[in-house]
Amino acid sequence: MSTLVEDNPAKHRFEILVDDALAGFTAYLPRGEVLLFSHTEVEPRFQNMGVGAALIRATLDQVRERGGRVVPQCPFMAAFIDRHPEYNDLVVARP
């Protein structure tokens, strides 16, 4: 299974492709260098396979590389950050 996570600025979301199929996305509202993440969705056929976690990890890594920050209003992303405190430095505010 090959995965790729890319920012889709036109749709304001990071998307994960699994074997070239759109498997999920995490939507954001840009606020300068801060991205407010509002919703994460994984296609039903890709659920319970670690796709959501892979999406969030790659998204946060890309935000870090750009020098950005996040507001994790999405419960899925907030829970991921709670389980992976190495990403706490990216968080601007908690909902």
Side-chain angles (χ1 to χ4, degrees):
M1 180 171 79
S2 71
T3 62
L4 173 68
V5 175
E6 292 182 312
D7 188 5
N8 183 338
K11 292 188 176 181
H12 297 294
R13 67 189 196 178
F14 282 82
E15 300 171 340
I16 186 165
L17 303 174
V18 175
D19 297 329
D20 297 323
L22 180 63
F25 65 88
T26 185
Y28 62 83
L29 299 169
R31 299 287 183 260
E33 293 299 308
V34 176
L35 300 180
L36 188 154
F37 284 88
S38 58
H39 178 70
T40 300
E41 196 170 304
V42 174
E43 292 295 320
R45 67 187 176 116
F46 293 105
Q47 290 179 358
N48 302 313
M49 297 169 58
V51 170
L55 167 62
I56 299 301
R57 181 181 305 281
T59 295
L60 293 171
D61 288 344
Q62 290 181 40
V63 169
R64 176 176 277 141
E65 287 170 18
R66 297 180 189 172
R69 306 285 295 279
V70 302
V71 177
Q73 285 190 336
C74 165
F76 187 83
M77 179 178 276
F80 181 90
I81 293 170
D82 285 344
R83 289 190 312 273
H84 299 89
E86 64 270 24
Y87 293 106
N88 282 338
D89 62 307
L90 297 178
V91 176
V92 171
R94 288 291 181 152

